Amino acid sequence: MIDPRAIVAPGAQLADDVEVGAFSVIGPDVVIGPGCWIGPHAVITGHTHLGVGNKVYQFASIGEAPQDKKYAGEPTGLTIGDRNVFREFCTMNRGTAHGHGVTRIGSDNLFMAYSHVAHDCVLGDKIVMANCVSLAGHVELGDWVIMSGYSAVHQFCKIGAHAFIANNTAVTRDVPPYVMAVGQPAVPHSVNSEGLKRRGFTPEQIRHIREGYKILYRNELPLAEAVKQLTERAAQQSELGAFVEFIGRSTRSLIR
């Protein structure tokens, strides 16, 4: 299953059924789980752990040192879940000692060509990062986030679950769950209602989320008052709890 032209370092731990293509390089501290496919000319290095059923296409770089001037060779890591797809020229960097120490990527994500995940990022599940999307260090993405082509996220920003980031958008502050963001810098546009429909949200739930969006963005309320009203509604409309929880964790302020 390992092409004889590939280089797999002593110490690398590969499940018995892992496929490795020609001219790929696997470093000594790498762990690759069952069912993974590593195409030709890929590089996986560092303290990198891949779960089950991941696919790494040609010329991807997985687990290389962080692009951080303070990094001094510490044994930091990259942890990847299951069934992710890394297309051509993806770059996924491991963490830093002054950050989390590890970059974490969940499961069932699609990283299109030339996408970049920097050091200490934390990504959930079922995310799509389109071509040339870039995340700076310490960024957090919730489940089901979709980032359109050429969009980018400033360091330490958070993007909530089910958010949609339009193409060429520059995210410089936190984007709440369910929100579609657009622009340079990003501003709220609407609710990602089509995405919510596809994921099984009921019409009533989507209506509640739209009403919550209006409270947060259209009623010209101070943020504290908007949070108060959202919290009251969340007692009966649990889907609004995601707004309240996210706002409580926000550190860079919300797009407004």
Side-chain angles (χ1 to χ4, degrees):
M1 307 293 282
I2 299 177
D3 191 286
R5 293 164 292 180
I7 299 173
V8 179
Q13 301 177 46
L14 278 63
D16 292 340
D17 62 348
V18 170
E19 296 184 44
V20 181
F23 308 111
S24 283
V25 178
I26 311 295
D29 299 309
V30 172
V31 178
I32 302 179
C36 288
W37 176 84
I38 314 300
H41 297 281
V43 177
I44 306 177
T45 188
H47 292 268
T48 297
H49 187 287
L50 283 80
V52 176
N54 294 286
K55 292 185 176 182
V56 180
Y57 281 75
Q58 54 266 31
F59 306 109
S61 176
I62 309 296
E64 192 50 85
Q67 299 176 79
D68 187 313
K69 292 176 70 175
K70 297 183 291 297
Y71 180 70
E74 299 89 349
T76 55
L78 168 64
T79 300
I80 295 170
D82 305 328
R83 298 175 302 278
N84 296 286
V85 176
F86 301 92
R87 293 304 302 256
E88 298 83 353
F89 299 99
C90 282
T91 51
M92 307 284 142
N93 292 166
R94 56 186 185 264
T96 60
H98 63 274
H100 301 302
V102 62
T103 302
R104 298 188 184 278
I105 295 173
S107 299
D108 300 299
N109 301 302
L110 170 59
F111 300 94
M112 295 188 191
Y114 293 95
S115 56
H116 173 67
V117 175
H119 60 86
D120 301 293
C121 288
V122 178
L123 277 62
D125 303 330
K126 298 178 173 63
I127 293 164
V128 176
M129 286 176 50
N131 301 79
C132 300
V133 169
S134 291
L135 306 184
H138 309 274
V139 166
E140 296 183 20
L141 300 187
D143 297 342
W144 294 102
V145 168
I146 294 178
M147 299 200 62
S148 303
Y150 297 94
S151 57
V153 186
H154 191 281
Q155 62 185 354
F156 293 100
C157 283
K158 299 178 179 67
I159 299 178
H162 303 284
F164 184 99
I165 310 301
N167 66 296
N168 288 290
T169 294
V171 177
T172 58
R173 294 188 288 171
D174 296 342
V175 180
Y178 313 126
V179 170
M180 295 184 69
V182 60
Q184 300 177 0
V187 295
H189 179 273
S190 57
V191 169
N192 182 20
S193 56
E194 187 60 37
L196 297 178
K197 290 177 188 175
R198 294 175 182 176
R199 291 159 207 156
F201 282 72
T202 67
E204 184 180 37
Q205 287 174 316
I206 294 173
R207 177 171 58 81
H208 293 162
I209 291 168
R210 283 177 168 153
E211 290 169 353
Y213 178 88
K214 290 178 181 177
I215 290 170
L216 185 59
Y217 285 118
R218 295 291 181 257
N219 291 354
E220 299 184 355
L221 297 173
L223 182 59
E225 177 60 27
V227 171
K228 179 176 179 293
Q229 293 189 23
L230 289 169
T231 302
E232 292 170 352
R233 287 179 175 240
Q236 300 298 324
Q237 303 169 9
S238 60
E239 54 273 15
L240 297 186
F243 276 134
V244 178
E245 187 273 337
F246 182 88
I247 294 169
R249 294 192 305 110
S250 176
T251 54
R252 285 189 54 83
S253 76
L254 305 182
I255 59 169
R256 291 279 273 178

